[in-house]
Amino acid sequence: MQKEIQTLCARTVCYRRERRSVPLAREFARTALAEWDLERRADDVLLCVSELATNALLHGVPPGREYRLCLLLGEDGLLRVEVHDSGDGEPRIPMPGDGGAGEAGRGLLLVNALADKWGVGERNPGKTVWCEWWPVV
């Protein structure tokens, strides 16, 4: 069970199922990070936003639906990125020897490497894929 984040700042936006939504999501996140004085985390966060938005677009958003991007900054400095979609299935990192997996799941390998923590939460309908970065001390 995820503990509830005591939110200091939050930004939320919805995007239609369009390829141009991924660069828009990145720019939305870049602006929030700048406003929150978190540019030092920007490269990792923006890459993860791109990967999660792309996954939602390709695998999680049925035609005619949207996905939602949420950025949350906790009072304790925890930064959390969430992408909510209405698609079925649970994202997973490909395991060695997954023949035929091709490129599928490779973005989650990046999220796993760059974020301090990530996971998938239930939503009705769909799911929330999230990642977090602890405060830099």
Side-chain angles (χ1 to χ4, degrees), residues 89-132:
E90 183 170 324
R92 66 179 182 86
I93 295 176
M95 301 303 291
D98 276 356
E103 296 298 313
R106 304 236 188 251
L108 290 178
L109 285 170
L110 290 171
V111 172
N112 187 58
L114 297 174
D116 293 323
K117 188 175 180 184
W118 76 278
V120 181
E122 292 182 22
R123 209 177 147 248
N124 190 7
K127 63 194 162 298
T128 299
V129 184
W130 56 268
C131 51
E132 296 176 340

Side-chain angles (χ1 to χ4, degrees), residues 14-105:
C14 290
Y15 292 106
R16 294 187 352 202
R17 187 179 186 231
E18 301 174 328
R19 286 184 183 256
R20 68 186 182 118
S21 70
V22 176
L24 293 173
R26 238 186 346 262
E27 189 55 37
F28 175 82
R30 182 187 324 276
T31 300
L33 294 173
E35 289 174 6
W36 298 342
D37 195 27
L38 294 175
E39 286 107 337
R40 65 192 174 282
R41 308 300 302 261
D43 290 343
D44 292 349
V45 173
L46 296 177
L47 183 53
C48 289
V49 165
S50 293
E51 293 301 334
L52 295 183
T54 299
N55 283 352
L57 182 68
L58 295 177
H59 307 293
V61 182
R65 302 295 300 258
E66 298 178 327
Y67 67 92
R68 183 171 65 217
L69 169 63
C70 299
L71 302 171
L72 306 163
L73 179 60
E75 291 177 353
D76 59 358
L78 178 77
L79 175 63
R80 182 177 173 109
V81 171
E82 297 178 349
V83 174
H84 304 246
D85 68 53
S86 55
D88 293 333
E90 183 170 324
R92 66 179 182 86
I93 295 176
M95 301 303 291
D98 276 356
E103 296 298 313

